Structure formats: structure tokens, C-alpha cells
Amino acid sequence: MSNSESKNSNTTTIKENKTNSTSKVEELQNQKGRKTVLMQGNEAVAYGALDAGCNFFAGYPITPSTEIAEILAAELPKRGGVFVQMEDELGSICAIIGASLAGAKALTATSGPGFSLMQEGIGFARSTETPCVVVDVQRVGPSTGMPTSCAQGDIQQSRWGTHGDSPAIVLYPDSVKESYELTIRAINLSEKYRTCVILLLDEVLGHMREAVRLPDISNVRVISRIKPTVPPHWYKHYEDNEKYPFPLASFGEGYRFHVTGLTHDALGFPTNKPNEAAEMMARLKKKITYNIRDLVQIESFQMDDAKIAVFAAGITARSAKAAVVMARKEGIPAGLLRPLTIWPFPDDAVRKMLRNVDIVIVPELNQGQLVREIERLVKDRSDSKLIKIQRVDSKLIPPQDILQKIKEGM
Amino acid sequence: MPAIPQKIIHEYLRHDKKFPHVWCAGCSNGIVLGSIIRAIAGMNLSRNDIVMVSGIGCSSRMPVYVDFNTLHTLHGRAIAFATGIKLHKPHLKVIVVTGDGDCAAIGGNHLIHAARRNIDLSVIMLNNNIYGMTGGQVSPTTPYEAYATTAPYGNIEPDFDVCKLAIGAGATYVARTTAFHTQETQNMVKEAIEHPGFALIEVICACPVIYGRLNKKGGAPEMMKEMRDNSIPLSAVDKLPPEKVQGKIIRGVLHKDIRPEYCAQYAELMKKAQAQGGSK
Ligand SMILES: Cc1ncc(C[n+]2csc(CCOP(=O)(O)OP(=O)(O)O)c2C)c(N)n1
Ligand code: SF4
Ligand SMILES: [Mg+2]
């Protein structure tokens, strides 16, 4: 299963031309790109952002995400990009949306408390269909919780944290290398589908170092918004176009469009008309539901003949995979299904899994957030057994615990 | 400055799209909009290079009516959005239209820090001493003992001098006027846009329908007269005895200085970073 941008998707790709990079910067880039280096998840996010053409970062320091800001503070100015430390996370999310409306590829990074503060802005970006990326390196909550400890407590918040119905695209890597890849994918998807894409990271992943070899920059597939070519009076900022990406103008390009968080019509002007409100809401929903195949990525490990499946995401999937390997050694037909995209939830892949296995084990570092979705789907099959493993004491779930449940299940 | 005919104002409005407007009869917001448009019309700027950003409130409804790049954001966050726009495209002229609640209550932190950075934004705060849009709740600029729906026994909080706050925070152009003084507003808007740094203009406005009613101010004409009679130009302050200055709205450019502008500083920083190349 390839984790990189799916090759068969027929989107237009425009390679970022890094006009401002000096030869020294290029050198560093190549070093990072070509040699195998020890790298933290947070570092991988920062370099993924740069490779995807991110040229604007606004953020507010918070553990365990701060390294992302620190690296970008050093790297962005060298490449002609903007780094700004805002006064808070409310300002950070708004600044990246503003920058994106002016044409930037913009990103911010935070953790639980800051992620909560950003929710109103995330809703604004989704409503106004403004591309941007929020990285949430999750830590133990609620509230200030345990800043340097691991939890997966923001899975549902990343979907439902902002008020009102809105589409969500949320990606969830399980390794340092994949943090790099999914950061690029998050930026690509935000540009393509014009929305705020969220990248969830686990604290352990953010801080863990792994040996990675980043691809040569020329092999990185970058998607950028398409510029409109129509005369300004024909331009509709919210054209009902099902082919993504569709032309998106930026401020200062002569299109003089209006953007508002109020429910708006195709031109972007506020509306109280029920039919126009319905149209807007349908468009937001459709861009997800019509593009599930492009959006959903899933890793299937040893699932072909599995009778017991573990369904896990992020760092917990690493333990799960180890448990599956151990089980297989003992001749137990176990497998792992791992969503790289958690929202939209991979309903079809899970349904398929449920058809083929008798037991599903859902380990997670929260009090039952991923498993809610499995429960929603398991209703179709009342004879399958669902086993939950939940841990919220800041410790990871060791493979042995999952293996034990696999054996108990048999 | 030559008078600008009504026709020119119309050229700047999206009159085919968004009218009638939402404002009550007698509201100052439209008068201030007129001053802003006249200022811009007299400035030889391309509309494509002007961005008008606002927060939430009656006053913040302004951008939808004008034919610029326009952005109606979240309550209190206009300056933060504007910061992102300006930093990414520093050549754009970014004008922020905000209310007293939007700017000084929920958005106060962004105001302070944008002023401190001296980023080249022109912030026009329409101060009607109340939360108009939500129906008349107390605001940080509601006068002491005045009435609001959430101060039914009179306001016990002192009101905010937002201009002083901005000066203290580092704004490099700070001015105050009233909606009655349309030519003065127009001049100040022009100066603020031309000023290379953070500019704040406080325009005292009338909300006759809510603030006026709750505080028995009469109608819009009476409130306009009060702006005329109860304000004095800064230049007159020194010449008047203190008792004549007491309680008056002081109009004029209260502060002006030049210090490095944020986007210009950032451009220098980029040069430095690029010269240093790979080394951190
Ligand atoms: C986060 C948030 N809180 C509260 C509101 C409700 N709200 C809308 S406008 C407003 C007050 C606006 O007052 P002001 O900025 O003075 O503008 P005016 O209407 O007086 O021009 C409030 C509290 C909101 N929209 N968003
Ligand atoms: S409520 Fe007040 S501020 Fe709002 S439009 Fe009416 S008069 Fe103007
Ligand atoms: Mg007000």
C-alpha cells in the first residue's frame, strides 16, 4: 500500500517553483532529502510542509508541537516564506486563513488547548472553503492535561469540534516518514478541495526520532490551486463544480470577491434564502462524499485471511502491528486495518473488514472515540464481537496487551 | 480637496448586488462608509489592491457593500486575518473596519499586538458605545452610568480610551473624529492609508435606534448635533480652560510617529536569513 499521493488520481499538478531558494538552501534540502537521517515526527512535518510549498506559518508555541514552529521560523524566511508568531491560537488560525485568501499555502501547528481555541476559525475556513492546514500534535487532556504525554483524545474533536455541520478531512500518520508524507498530502488536499485539512499526530510521534530518507524534492507531488482565467465579472468564488480543484482567485488578482462566514451564495454574498443555504451546505458535504476514493487511505496488513482484525490509528497501530506479527507467529489469523484518513471515516473498508472477520479489536488512547465509528457500522452484523482496549493514563498500549486480547478473542 | 460627486461613490459600491443595506435609518455607519470611499477615490489607488476586512457587528457589515477585495470574518478577529493578508502580500492596502466591541473587547489582544508590531494596517473603529448588532449590550466603551440591555441599572465599569491603548501599545498613527465630521474622517482615512505603519482611527458614531433609545438621546439628528457640540479639536484644547475640555470628545491626530514597519522588517529578516543560507 503506497502512502504517497495516489498515482491514479487525475488531478492537475503544478510543481512549486521555489523562486527564492538560494543554492545553500537547496543543498540543505538535498541533504535532508537524499541521505538517511534521524528525524523527529515534528521535524518531518516541518520539512513536509516546506516540500509541499507551504509559504506561510502563523502559530503560538505549545508542547508537544513547538518544534514545527521553530524549524519553520528558521527555514521559511530563507525560502521567501512568512513565519509569524501570533499572540494566541485564535490569531494564528485567522492569520493563516487571511494569508491563504491572499494566495499563500498556509499552515499552523498546535496541541489540544490551542486546537480548542482554533475551532471557530477552522469552521470559518471550512465554510468559506479556504485552503489551510492545522497540525494537532495531541497530548493528554482534558484541559492542560499532560503536555508531554501521549493520548488520542482529539479524534472526535477534529471532526466535530467546530459548531455546525461541516466537512472534515483529517489525516493520521503512524511513523515519522508518514508524518512527512501526510503533511504533503494534507496541504495537497487542502488546495485541491479548498478546505481546512487537519493532521493529527501523537505526542510520541511528534517527539520520536526514526531513521528516514526523504524523497528527492523532484519526486514530491505537489498540488496547487488553479488560477481562474475568466474575466472578473464571470468569476464565481463558489461555483458548484464537482471537478476539483477548480479555479480559485486570491485577493489582489483583480477578482474582488467577497468572503464571509455567513451562509453565502455562489458569489460569496450573504444569503437568507433557504435554497441558497441548502446549496452551500450540499456543496460542502458533496466535496467529501463524492470524493471518498481520493480522500480515504487505509493500510491493510495481513487482512486477506484474517479472522481477527485490529483496527487502530496513529501510534497505537504500531503496537497493533507488532501484536499481529506475534499472533501470526503463533498461527493465529490476525490482521490490522489502519486508517491513514480518519475523516471521512473509511466506512467501506470497515464494512468489508466486518464481513470477513469474526472479532474486531479497537485499541486506542482515549475513552472510546474510534470505536464509536466501528459500533456505528457493526450494527449490520450482530454476531461479530467487538473488543475495546482503552488507555488514558498517558502510557501507550503495549503489543502484549493487544496480543492477549487477540488470544482471548479466539 | 475637490468635492467628489455622488456618482463616484456609486462606482465603489456593489449597488447591483447587495442593496438595500442592513443598517437602520439614522445609523452613522453609512456616513462613515461615505467618508472612506471619498478618501479612497481621491487617492489614485487600484481597487484591486485594496482589501477591506471586518469582524462581526453592524459596523463590520461594511465590506460587503464595497467593490474591493472584501472579507467579513469572525467576531474580534479582523486584525488577525488582516495580518495574514498583509504579510503574504505587503503591497496590498489593508483596511480593517471594526466596532467598539469587536475591536476593544473580544479583539483587544489582536489590536494590542498589531499596534506593537507596527504592521501597516488601517484600522477604522466605529465606536457607537454599544453592541449594536446583538441588540444593545454594554461594551467596553459604554460610558460610566450609561444604560445598556445588560447594564439595566447603569454601567458601573469605566469606559475604555481605545486611542490611548493603541498609543501605549505602539500604534504609529492614532486619530479620533466623529461621524458628524465627514471631511475630517475622510482626511484621516487618507492619512491612515498613506501612513507606513499601524494606524487606528476611532470614529465616534451614533446608534440612535438602540444606544440612543436606551439613553434617551433623542433621534439621529440630536445625536449628530451632540457629536458637533460635544467635541473639540485637539488644536483647541490648550487654548481652552480645563472645565471646557472636561467631558468633551477630543478630535484630531492624537499621535503620529515613524518607526520600522513590520512587513518591511520581515523583508529585511528574509534577506538576512537568505544571506546566511543553510546555517541556522
Ligand atoms: C464569538 C462570538 N461571540 C459573540 C458573537 C455575537 N455578537 C455579534 S456582533 C456582537 C457585538 C458587536 O458589537 P460592536 O463590535 O460594537 O459592533 P456594532 O454592532 O455596535 O457595530 C456580538 C457580541 C459572535 N458573533 N461571535
Ligand atoms: S442597531 Fe445601531 S449600530 Fe446597528 S444598524 Fe441600527 S443604528 Fe446602526
Ligand atoms: Mg458597537
Side-chain angles (χ1 to χ4, degrees), chain A residues 115-331:
Chain A
F115 193 50
S116 294
L117 288 180
M118 287 183 186
Q119 291 302 329
E120 192 191 14
I122 290 170
F124 185 90
R126 288 179 184 162
S127 160
T128 60
E129 302 186 56
T130 307
C132 60
V133 172
V134 175
V135 181
D136 171 23
V137 189
Q138 297 166 95
R139 62 193 227 181
V140 172
S143 192
T144 310
M146 295 162 86
T148 53
S149 296
C150 195
Q152 301 181 305
D154 302 351
I155 287 173
Q156 292 290 348
Q157 190 192 12
S158 68
R159 173 68 191 91
W160 304 107
T162 194
H163 58 281
D165 288 305
S166 67
I169 303 175
V170 183
L171 312 182
Y172 207 157
D174 80 337
S175 69
V176 171
K177 174 113 194 295
E178 204 173 86
S179 300
Y180 169 85
E181 291 163 347
L182 291 192
T183 303
I184 294 170
R185 185 166 150 79
I187 293 175
N188 284 349
L189 292 177
S190 78
E191 290 282 311
K192 184 174 174 185
Y193 292 105
R194 302 178 54 175
T195 189
C196 174
V197 176
I198 293 165
L199 181 75
L200 279 189
L201 232 65
D202 297 310
E203 181 277 334
V204 164
L205 204 51
H207 283 157
M208 178 170 79
R209 284 176 200 279
E210 287 186 290
V212 284
R213 187 159 171 267
L214 300 185
D216 190 281
I217 184 78
S218 59
N219 292 333
V220 174
R221 193 161 173 277
V222 170
I223 300 177
S224 303
R225 65 191 81 171
I226 299 172
K227 298 279 174 212
T229 50
V230 295
H233 58 280
W234 285 4
Y235 178 70
K236 281 186 181 167
H237 198 63
Y238 302 100
E239 202 169 352
D240 204 2
N241 187 335
E242 277 153 30
K243 223 171 151 261
Y244 291 94
F246 56 82
L248 178 60
S250 304
F251 287 156
E253 293 175 346
Y255 286 91
R256 300 204 300 272
F257 53 95
H258 183 66
V259 172
T260 177
L262 290 168
T263 298
H264 41 266
D265 63 18
L267 289 174
F269 293 120
T271 180
N272 287 323
K273 294 193 183 118
N275 62 320
E276 289 177 343
E279 242 169 61
M280 172 186 139
M281 293 305 285
R283 190 177 59 247
L284 296 187
K285 190 173 174 189
K286 255 181 353 197
K287 77 163 101 173
I288 303 296
T289 53
Y290 285 21
N291 295 293
I292 293 286
R293 282 192 55 199
D294 189 32
L295 293 172
V296 167
Q297 281 189 326
I298 194 133
E299 183 194 8
S300 235
F301 177 73
Q302 305 265 313
M303 283 297 292
D304 286 351
D305 60 342
K307 288 290 154 225
I308 299 186
V310 187
F311 185 83
I315 199 70
T316 306
R318 298 277 286 260
S319 299
K321 195 179 250 180
V324 167
V325 170
M326 293 190 286
R328 285 278 171 177
K329 275 192 188 139
E330 297 184 30

Side-chain angles (χ1 to χ4, degrees), chain B residues 76-128:
Chain B
R77 313 287 161 231
I79 291 174
F81 279 88
T83 297
I85 296 167
K86 183 73 186 177
L87 271 168
H88 184 63
K89 285 197 175 151
H91 72 279
L92 296 178
K93 297 284 179 196
V94 184
I95 300 165
V96 174
V97 176
T98 173
D100 44 310
D102 198 61
C103 185
I106 191 166
N109 205 25
H110 307 307
L111 169 70
I112 292 169
H113 291 276
R116 177 177 63 84
R117 293 184 187 108
N118 195 31
I119 184 167
D120 185 11
L121 304 175
S122 309
V123 179
I124 303 165
M125 182 185 82
L126 283 73
N127 179 5
N128 57 8

Side-chain angles (χ1 to χ4, degrees), chain B residues 22-29 58-59 128 130 132-133 206-211:
Chain B
V22 294
W23 296 319
C24 309
C27 177
S28 291
N29 292 348
C58 294
S59 39
N128 57 8
I130 199 105
M133 173 128 280
C207 166
V209 172
I210 296 177
Y211 184 79

